[in-house]
Amino acid sequence: MKLLDSIQMLKGIGPKKAKLLQKLGIVTLYDLLTYYPRSYEDQSTVTPIAELFVGERATIAGNIMNVVEKQAGRRRMTILTALVGDGTGFAQVTWFNQPFLKTKLKAGRRLFVTGKAAYAYGGRGQMEIAQVQSYALLDEGEDGAEHLGIFPVYGATDGLNQAFFRKAVRTLLDAIDDGDGDGLALSEVLPQGIAERYHLLPRSAAFRAIHFPKDAEELKDARRRLAFEELYLIQCGLLLLKKQARVAQKGVRHLACSTLSRQVFSHLPFRLTDDQASVWQDICRDMESDVPMRRLVQGDVGSGKTVLALLALVKTVENGFQGALMVPTEILARQHYETFTRQLANTGIRVGFLSGHITAKEKRELYERITSHEVDIVIGTHALLQEGVQFASLGLVVTDEQHRFGVAQRSTLEKQGTERLPDVLVMTATPIPRTMTLTVYGDLDVSQVRHLPPGRKPVRTFVRTSDRRPLIYKYVRTQAEAGRQSYVVCPLVEQSDEEDLPSAEEVYDELRYGILRGIPCGLVHGRMKDAEKEAVMQAFYENRIRVLVSTTVIEVGVNVPNATTLVVEHADRFGLAQLHQLRGRIGRGDLASYCILVSDSRTETARERLSILAATQDGFQLAEEDLRLRGPGQFFGARQHGLPDLKIADVLKDTDILLEARQAAQETLGRQENLSFVRPILASHYKEQFEHITDV
Ligand code: ADP
Ligand code: MG
């Protein structure tokens, strides 16, 4: 039996159970071994009945004094109540609808039972174990020691209960080699020396203890060991990616900026801020060396990242290469395309636009122009990753709003460099806390644009209930009459049966036939045809539309400095980071701007979130709050980062383990024998993510 064998190799698991397990992603024995408990039940201490606290969960041990059976309800449900005594008091324990227990619950038998303590009949003195969580009936001569301890609670599913999981995992753990070589081999994944140096439990002990810990201490050690190895392997992968890019293949080498760059530079409508200038220096330094650039530019919404992309792309073109700018939405791609064409007019630089929705003919023509180098800069969506896109000479890849693309996607384009790897610049408005930067962007160097361009008036943010909507929209109306523009964002496109939320379509009709009658309004959402979407956005850019009702399609990057008001309907429906992104649509010029969050939600967290947003403009602080309130999964959205899902490590809380694991990974990379040890492990654990790592 090997760890990667089918789960059916395990005693007691046939095709039927295997099918249920598969739904939980458990296919191999190893999957089961790493199906870590979701939580634990602490049954390590027995509480005397006299010391039970009402409302608290506890384990009692005693003898059954008598058993009463009742039938209740129309269905004649069996109710069994045992009176248990332990010398300090008596407690009633009740089981519903388990008639088979009748033959087992016998006076005189010893019983362990865990549940919530309550007063029987609502009176003092007589206790009751309500909501029995688990119980064990002891046989003659048993002391019951194995029923005491900390027990795992697994994410179960219909047909597979806790008892099943506990038994299956125990059988598996028992099959694991105890050192005599005849069991299931559990190979080490950490190179020699690391476990000792970082005081980690042996692997087999950690697996045993994560499922069946002796005590809280052992559980903590087990978690640390397993989280360490998980983070360590990912760090090795990321560092190898980085090293591979640096060592195996030279990068495109750019020369210092000359005429074309200077021309574009001098035509910018503003001067770079100090932060922008310093990031631009980082970028130039990277681009001018033949080590491939892999740089992440972090900067809050509106901090002015686009111009950095523009300058970098011009630089690559000036050096005779092509550049690609990849963005996550069609609207944003279109907007960048317009900005670039405008700013590059009279430079001779040819810009192309690619999205999944241009006609087949246009696409074919563009592909040809890309391959024959008749276009210098291509701006587009994921469509840039399609096979037909073959650059003649790719010098730079920029991805904007990076958290929406994965590591793997990034490298698809990078591989297009022919002899030399193209430089890579990644831009994100998500101010990621340090732990996250290291896990998610461990293979990148980081530059930050910390301050917004001068002259920005902070956006003032208000939280209002929906009974104020007439006033809010009256304000939107006066703004429109004064030539200013507004966004109105709704959580849904159209009316849904399940949820009673304002849809974009409804709000659009309500406004244009109602309070905003006579004001040019527009509607844009993800389900519209691209041509329609584009026409509406164009009209909004040109101020032919004053009020744009939309879903979150405008969330990223859209830049209309004349827009001064943002109304978010049902604001509690959105995440903090998302609301902050949305708010980034206004306050882009020097006009005073207002963000109004409409919400009737009364839940504590919803109110807390919205008030945090009203209180701060600092994206970094908001990101941390969002993480705290919603957890990392929600924050990034499932799998958006393209890295392996973490099974046990917690990107928020395990900073210390992460830093140690990163250090260990760095040490590993410096030692050939350790590297040779880790590489195959990495390949087998994380094939998808790190398979493009070649020998370095
Ligand atoms: P983001 O970082 O969110 O992508 P943008 O690049 O869209 O931000 O820039 C936001 C706005 O700030 C744009 O209107 C842009 O022209 C303007 N901007 C960028 N840099 C400067 C600067 N140094 N001085 C003044 N305005 C600037
Ligand atoms: Mg941007």
Side-chain angles (χ1 to χ4, degrees), residues 263-285:
Q263 187 191 339
V264 173
F265 215 102
S266 64
H267 281 96
L268 288 181
F270 44 71
R271 289 190 45 183
L272 293 190
T273 62
D274 290 351
D275 280 355
Q276 282 170 321
S278 123
V279 175
W280 176 233
Q281 269 177 13
D282 292 342
I283 294 172
C284 284
R285 199 179 342 101

PDB file of all heavy atoms in Angstrom, residues 263-285:
ATOM      1  N   GLN A 263      10.412  62.174 -25.163  1.00  0.00           N
ATOM      2  CA  GLN A 263       9.290  62.855 -25.820  1.00  0.00           C
ATOM      3  C   GLN A 263       7.978  62.565 -25.086  1.00  0.00           C
ATOM      4  O   GLN A 263       7.213  63.477 -24.767  1.00  0.00           O
ATOM      5  CB  GLN A 263       9.204  62.368 -27.269  1.00  0.00           C
ATOM      6  CG  GLN A 263       8.180  63.114 -28.111  1.00  0.00           C
ATOM      7  CD  GLN A 263       7.950  62.401 -29.446  1.00  0.00           C
ATOM      8  OE1 GLN A 263       8.782  61.610 -29.901  1.00  0.00           O
ATOM      9  NE2 GLN A 263       6.820  62.674 -30.061  1.00  0.00           N
ATOM     10  N   VAL A 264       7.729  61.275 -24.793  1.00  0.00           N
ATOM     11  CA  VAL A 264       6.499  60.910 -24.089  1.00  0.00           C
ATOM     12  C   VAL A 264       6.484  61.542 -22.692  1.00  0.00           C
ATOM     13  O   VAL A 264       5.485  62.116 -22.255  1.00  0.00           O
ATOM     14  CB  VAL A 264       6.358  59.375 -23.975  1.00  0.00           C
ATOM     15  CG1 VAL A 264       5.170  58.993 -23.107  1.00  0.00           C
ATOM     16  CG2 VAL A 264       6.223  58.757 -25.354  1.00  0.00           C
ATOM     17  N   PHE A 265       7.622  61.463 -22.050  1.00  0.00           N
ATOM     18  CA  PHE A 265       7.762  62.017 -20.713  1.00  0.00           C
ATOM     19  C   PHE A 265       7.393  63.500 -20.694  1.00  0.00           C
ATOM     20  O   PHE A 265       6.626  63.966 -19.847  1.00  0.00           O
ATOM     21  CB  PHE A 265       9.225  61.851 -20.260  1.00  0.00           C
ATOM     22  CG  PHE A 265       9.371  61.571 -18.808  1.00  0.00           C
ATOM     23  CD1 PHE A 265       9.626  60.292 -18.354  1.00  0.00           C
ATOM     24  CD2 PHE A 265       9.252  62.591 -17.878  1.00  0.00           C
ATOM     25  CE1 PHE A 265       9.761  60.024 -17.010  1.00  0.00           C
ATOM     26  CE2 PHE A 265       9.375  62.333 -16.535  1.00  0.00           C
ATOM     27  CZ  PHE A 265       9.632  61.043 -16.091  1.00  0.00           C
ATOM     28  N   SER A 266       7.917  64.233 -21.660  1.00  0.00           N
ATOM     29  CA  SER A 266       7.699  65.680 -21.637  1.00  0.00           C
ATOM     30  C   SER A 266       6.260  66.043 -22.007  1.00  0.00           C
ATOM     31  O   SER A 266       5.814  67.154 -21.742  1.00  0.00           O
ATOM     32  CB  SER A 266       8.682  66.373 -22.574  1.00  0.00           C
ATOM     33  OG  SER A 266       8.404  65.957 -23.898  1.00  0.00           O
ATOM     34  N   HIS A 267       5.553  65.093 -22.603  1.00  0.00           N
ATOM     35  CA  HIS A 267       4.159  65.391 -22.929  1.00  0.00           C
ATOM     36  C   HIS A 267       3.159  64.927 -21.877  1.00  0.00           C
ATOM     37  O   HIS A 267       1.960  65.066 -22.055  1.00  0.00           O
ATOM     38  CB  HIS A 267       3.789  64.797 -24.290  1.00  0.00           C
ATOM     39  CG  HIS A 267       4.294  65.633 -25.420  1.00  0.00           C
ATOM     40  ND1 HIS A 267       5.488  65.360 -26.065  1.00  0.00           N
ATOM     41  CD2 HIS A 267       3.800  66.748 -25.999  1.00  0.00           C
ATOM     42  CE1 HIS A 267       5.702  66.265 -26.992  1.00  0.00           C
ATOM     43  NE2 HIS A 267       4.691  67.129 -26.984  1.00  0.00           N
ATOM     44  N   LEU A 268       3.655  64.372 -20.792  1.00  0.00           N
ATOM     45  CA  LEU A 268       2.728  63.965 -19.728  1.00  0.00           C
ATOM     46  C   LEU A 268       2.016  65.202 -19.200  1.00  0.00           C
ATOM     47  O   LEU A 268       2.622  66.266 -19.086  1.00  0.00           O
ATOM     48  CB  LEU A 268       3.498  63.301 -18.563  1.00  0.00           C
ATOM     49  CG  LEU A 268       4.078  61.914 -18.794  1.00  0.00           C
ATOM     50  CD1 LEU A 268       4.784  61.423 -17.528  1.00  0.00           C
ATOM     51  CD2 LEU A 268       3.000  60.930 -19.214  1.00  0.00           C
ATOM     52  N   PRO A 269       0.738  65.055 -18.873  1.00  0.00           N
ATOM     53  CA  PRO A 269      -0.014  66.215 -18.398  1.00  0.00           C
ATOM     54  C   PRO A 269       0.336  66.589 -16.951  1.00  0.00           C
ATOM     55  O   PRO A 269      -0.276  67.493 -16.394  1.00  0.00           O
ATOM     56  CB  PRO A 269      -1.478  65.754 -18.500  1.00  0.00           C
ATOM     57  CG  PRO A 269      -1.430  64.273 -18.483  1.00  0.00           C
ATOM     58  CD  PRO A 269      -0.112  63.862 -19.044  1.00  0.00           C
ATOM     59  N   PHE A 270       1.283  65.904 -16.343  1.00  0.00           N
ATOM     60  CA  PHE A 270       1.633  66.221 -14.950  1.00  0.00           C
ATOM     61  C   PHE A 270       3.073  65.796 -14.705  1.00  0.00           C
ATOM     62  O   PHE A 270       3.686  65.130 -15.539  1.00  0.00           O
ATOM     63  CB  PHE A 270       0.711  65.490 -13.977  1.00  0.00           C
ATOM     64  CG  PHE A 270       0.468  64.049 -14.358  1.00  0.00           C
ATOM     65  CD1 PHE A 270       1.477  63.097 -14.225  1.00  0.00           C
ATOM     66  CD2 PHE A 270      -0.772  63.635 -14.869  1.00  0.00           C
ATOM     67  CE1 PHE A 270       1.265  61.777 -14.590  1.00  0.00           C
ATOM     68  CE2 PHE A 270      -0.981  62.310 -15.233  1.00  0.00           C
ATOM     69  CZ  PHE A 270       0.034  61.389 -15.093  1.00  0.00           C
ATOM     70  N   ARG A 271       3.626  66.218 -13.567  1.00  0.00           N
ATOM     71  CA  ARG A 271       4.951  65.744 -13.175  1.00  0.00           C
ATOM     72  C   ARG A 271       4.790  64.520 -12.295  1.00  0.00           C
ATOM     73  O   ARG A 271       3.859  64.439 -11.510  1.00  0.00           O
ATOM     74  CB  ARG A 271       5.669  66.823 -12.360  1.00  0.00           C
ATOM     75  CG  ARG A 271       6.091  68.009 -13.195  1.00  0.00           C
ATOM     76  CD  ARG A 271       6.990  68.896 -12.368  1.00  0.00           C
ATOM     77  NE  ARG A 271       7.999  68.085 -11.643  1.00  0.00           N
ATOM     78  CZ  ARG A 271       8.880  68.598 -10.809  1.00  0.00           C
ATOM     79  NH1 ARG A 271       8.865  69.887 -10.534  1.00  0.00           N
ATOM     80  NH2 ARG A 271       9.763  67.818 -10.221  1.00  0.00           N
ATOM     81  N   LEU A 272       5.705  63.563 -12.404  1.00  0.00           N
ATOM     82  CA  LEU A 272       5.621  62.387 -11.536  1.00  0.00           C
ATOM     83  C   LEU A 272       5.792  62.824 -10.082  1.00  0.00           C
ATOM     84  O   LEU A 272       6.561  63.730  -9.786  1.00  0.00           O
ATOM     85  CB  LEU A 272       6.723  61.381 -11.873  1.00  0.00           C
ATOM     86  CG  LEU A 272       6.663  60.688 -13.224  1.00  0.00           C
ATOM     87  CD1 LEU A 272       7.686  59.557 -13.263  1.00  0.00           C
ATOM     88  CD2 LEU A 272       5.275  60.135 -13.521  1.00  0.00           C
ATOM     89  N   THR A 273       5.064  62.177  -9.201  1.00  0.00           N
ATOM     90  CA  THR A 273       5.276  62.434  -7.780  1.00  0.00           C
ATOM     91  C   THR A 273       6.601  61.775  -7.370  1.00  0.00           C
ATOM     92  O   THR A 273       7.148  60.962  -8.124  1.00  0.00           O
ATOM     93  CB  THR A 273       4.162  61.806  -6.920  1.00  0.00           C
ATOM     94  OG1 THR A 273       4.193  60.383  -7.104  1.00  0.00           O
ATOM     95  CG2 THR A 273       2.795  62.337  -7.320  1.00  0.00           C
ATOM     96  N   ASP A 274       7.088  62.099  -6.185  1.00  0.00           N
ATOM     97  CA  ASP A 274       8.345  61.503  -5.723  1.00  0.00           C
ATOM     98  C   ASP A 274       8.261  59.980  -5.699  1.00  0.00           C
ATOM     99  O   ASP A 274       9.185  59.290  -6.099  1.00  0.00           O
ATOM    100  CB  ASP A 274       8.694  62.013  -4.315  1.00  0.00           C
ATOM    101  CG  ASP A 274       9.091  63.481  -4.353  1.00  0.00           C
ATOM    102  OD1 ASP A 274       9.252  64.027  -5.473  1.00  0.00           O
ATOM    103  OD2 ASP A 274       9.229  64.087  -3.268  1.00  0.00           O
ATOM    104  N   ASP A 275       7.115  59.487  -5.218  1.00  0.00           N
ATOM    105  CA  ASP A 275       6.943  58.031  -5.166  1.00  0.00           C
ATOM    106  C   ASP A 275       6.987  57.425  -6.560  1.00  0.00           C
ATOM    107  O   ASP A 275       7.659  56.424  -6.797  1.00  0.00           O
ATOM    108  CB  ASP A 275       5.588  57.668  -4.523  1.00  0.00           C
ATOM    109  CG  ASP A 275       5.641  57.748  -3.009  1.00  0.00           C
ATOM    110  OD1 ASP A 275       6.726  57.991  -2.455  1.00  0.00           O
ATOM    111  OD2 ASP A 275       4.578  57.575  -2.383  1.00  0.00           O
ATOM    112  N   GLN A 276       6.242  58.036  -7.479  1.00  0.00           N
ATOM    113  CA  GLN A 276       6.219  57.512  -8.849  1.00  0.00           C
ATOM    114  C   GLN A 276       7.633  57.540  -9.438  1.00  0.00           C
ATOM    115  O   GLN A 276       8.078  56.585 -10.070  1.00  0.00           O
ATOM    116  CB  GLN A 276       5.286  58.347  -9.732  1.00  0.00           C
ATOM    117  CG  GLN A 276       3.807  58.048  -9.530  1.00  0.00           C
ATOM    118  CD  GLN A 276       2.933  59.065 -10.259  1.00  0.00           C
ATOM    119  OE1 GLN A 276       3.247  60.265 -10.290  1.00  0.00           O
ATOM    120  NE2 GLN A 276       1.843  58.592 -10.853  1.00  0.00           N
ATOM    121  N   ALA A 277       8.346  58.644  -9.197  1.00  0.00           N
ATOM    122  CA  ALA A 277       9.692  58.783  -9.750  1.00  0.00           C
ATOM    123  C   ALA A 277      10.615  57.706  -9.196  1.00  0.00           C
ATOM    124  O   ALA A 277      11.428  57.132  -9.926  1.00  0.00           O
ATOM    125  CB  ALA A 277      10.244  60.167  -9.440  1.00  0.00           C
ATOM    126  N   SER A 278      10.434  57.407  -7.908  1.00  0.00           N
ATOM    127  CA  SER A 278      11.343  56.428  -7.328  1.00  0.00           C
ATOM    128  C   SER A 278      11.011  55.020  -7.830  1.00  0.00           C
ATOM    129  O   SER A 278      11.907  54.214  -8.095  1.00  0.00           O
ATOM    130  CB  SER A 278      11.338  56.570  -5.809  1.00  0.00           C
ATOM    131  OG  SER A 278      10.988  55.377  -5.196  1.00  0.00           O
ATOM    132  N   VAL A 279       9.717  54.720  -8.014  1.00  0.00           N
ATOM    133  CA  VAL A 279       9.359  53.423  -8.589  1.00  0.00           C
ATOM    134  C   VAL A 279       9.852  53.345 -10.040  1.00  0.00           C
ATOM    135  O   VAL A 279      10.355  52.316 -10.493  1.00  0.00           O
ATOM    136  CB  VAL A 279       7.833  53.174  -8.525  1.00  0.00           C
ATOM    137  CG1 VAL A 279       7.469  51.879  -9.225  1.00  0.00           C
ATOM    138  CG2 VAL A 279       7.347  53.141  -7.084  1.00  0.00           C
ATOM    139  N   TRP A 280       9.730  54.448 -10.732  1.00  0.00           N
ATOM    140  CA  TRP A 280      10.195  54.476 -12.119  1.00  0.00           C
ATOM    141  C   TRP A 280      11.695  54.177 -12.188  1.00  0.00           C
ATOM    142  O   TRP A 280      12.166  53.474 -13.077  1.00  0.00           O
ATOM    143  CB  TRP A 280       9.842  55.827 -12.763  1.00  0.00           C
ATOM    144  CG  TRP A 280      10.363  56.018 -14.163  1.00  0.00           C
ATOM    145  CD1 TRP A 280      11.109  57.054 -14.628  1.00  0.00           C
ATOM    146  CD2 TRP A 280      10.177  55.133 -15.282  1.00  0.00           C
ATOM    147  NE1 TRP A 280      11.414  56.876 -15.952  1.00  0.00           N
ATOM    148  CE2 TRP A 280      10.849  55.699 -16.376  1.00  0.00           C
ATOM    149  CE3 TRP A 280       9.518  53.907 -15.441  1.00  0.00           C
ATOM    150  CZ2 TRP A 280      10.882  55.099 -17.630  1.00  0.00           C
ATOM    151  CZ3 TRP A 280       9.555  53.293 -16.696  1.00  0.00           C
ATOM    152  CH2 TRP A 280      10.220  53.895 -17.778  1.00  0.00           C
ATOM    153  N   GLN A 281      12.450  54.670 -11.211  1.00  0.00           N
ATOM    154  CA  GLN A 281      13.875  54.347 -11.159  1.00  0.00           C
ATOM    155  C   GLN A 281      14.114  52.857 -10.941  1.00  0.00           C
ATOM    156  O   GLN A 281      14.974  52.263 -11.583  1.00  0.00           O
ATOM    157  CB  GLN A 281      14.542  55.118 -10.019  1.00  0.00           C
ATOM    158  CG  GLN A 281      15.084  56.459 -10.478  1.00  0.00           C
ATOM    159  CD  GLN A 281      15.682  57.243  -9.312  1.00  0.00           C
ATOM    160  OE1 GLN A 281      15.899  56.693  -8.229  1.00  0.00           O
ATOM    161  NE2 GLN A 281      15.936  58.517  -9.546  1.00  0.00           N
ATOM    162  N   ASP A 282      13.304  52.266 -10.013  1.00  0.00           N
ATOM    163  CA  ASP A 282      13.413  50.813  -9.795  1.00  0.00           C
ATOM    164  C   ASP A 282      13.199  50.074 -11.115  1.00  0.00           C
ATOM    165  O   ASP A 282      13.926  49.151 -11.470  1.00  0.00           O
ATOM    166  CB  ASP A 282      12.347  50.306  -8.805  1.00  0.00           C
ATOM    167  CG  ASP A 282      12.574  50.819  -7.383  1.00  0.00           C
ATOM    168  OD1 ASP A 282      13.691  51.273  -7.077  1.00  0.00           O
ATOM    169  OD2 ASP A 282      11.615  50.750  -6.583  1.00  0.00           O
ATOM    170  N   ILE A 283      12.150  50.506 -11.811  1.00  0.00           N
ATOM    171  CA  ILE A 283      11.786  49.830 -13.060  1.00  0.00           C
ATOM    172  C   ILE A 283      12.907  49.973 -14.087  1.00  0.00           C
ATOM    173  O   ILE A 283      13.302  48.997 -14.738  1.00  0.00           O
ATOM    174  CB  ILE A 283      10.458  50.403 -13.618  1.00  0.00           C
ATOM    175  CG1 ILE A 283       9.304  50.056 -12.662  1.00  0.00           C
ATOM    176  CG2 ILE A 283      10.175  49.867 -15.013  1.00  0.00           C
ATOM    177  CD1 ILE A 283       7.986  50.736 -13.003  1.00  0.00           C
ATOM    178  N   CYS A 284      13.441  51.181 -14.230  1.00  0.00           N
ATOM    179  CA  CYS A 284      14.513  51.397 -15.203  1.00  0.00           C
ATOM    180  C   CYS A 284      15.729  50.541 -14.872  1.00  0.00           C
ATOM    181  O   CYS A 284      16.322  49.911 -15.738  1.00  0.00           O
ATOM    182  CB  CYS A 284      14.919  52.868 -15.242  1.00  0.00           C
ATOM    183  SG  CYS A 284      13.723  53.872 -16.116  1.00  0.00           S
ATOM    184  N   ARG A 285      16.080  50.523 -13.602  1.00  0.00           N
ATOM    185  CA  ARG A 285      17.234  49.732 -13.186  1.00  0.00           C
ATOM    186  C   ARG A 285      17.034  48.267 -13.584  1.00  0.00           C
ATOM    187  O   ARG A 285      17.914  47.643 -14.182  1.00  0.00           O
ATOM    188  CB  ARG A 285      17.430  49.854 -11.664  1.00  0.00           C
ATOM    189  CG  ARG A 285      18.825  49.457 -11.215  1.00  0.00           C
ATOM    190  CD  ARG A 285      19.067  49.592  -9.706  1.00  0.00           C
ATOM    191  NE  ARG A 285      18.137  50.440  -8.976  1.00  0.00           N
ATOM    192  CZ  ARG A 285      17.124  49.990  -8.243  1.00  0.00           C
ATOM    193  NH1 ARG A 285      16.891  48.692  -8.158  1.00  0.00           N
ATOM    194  NH2 ARG A 285      16.339  50.823  -7.590  1.00  0.00           N
TER     195      ARG A 285
END
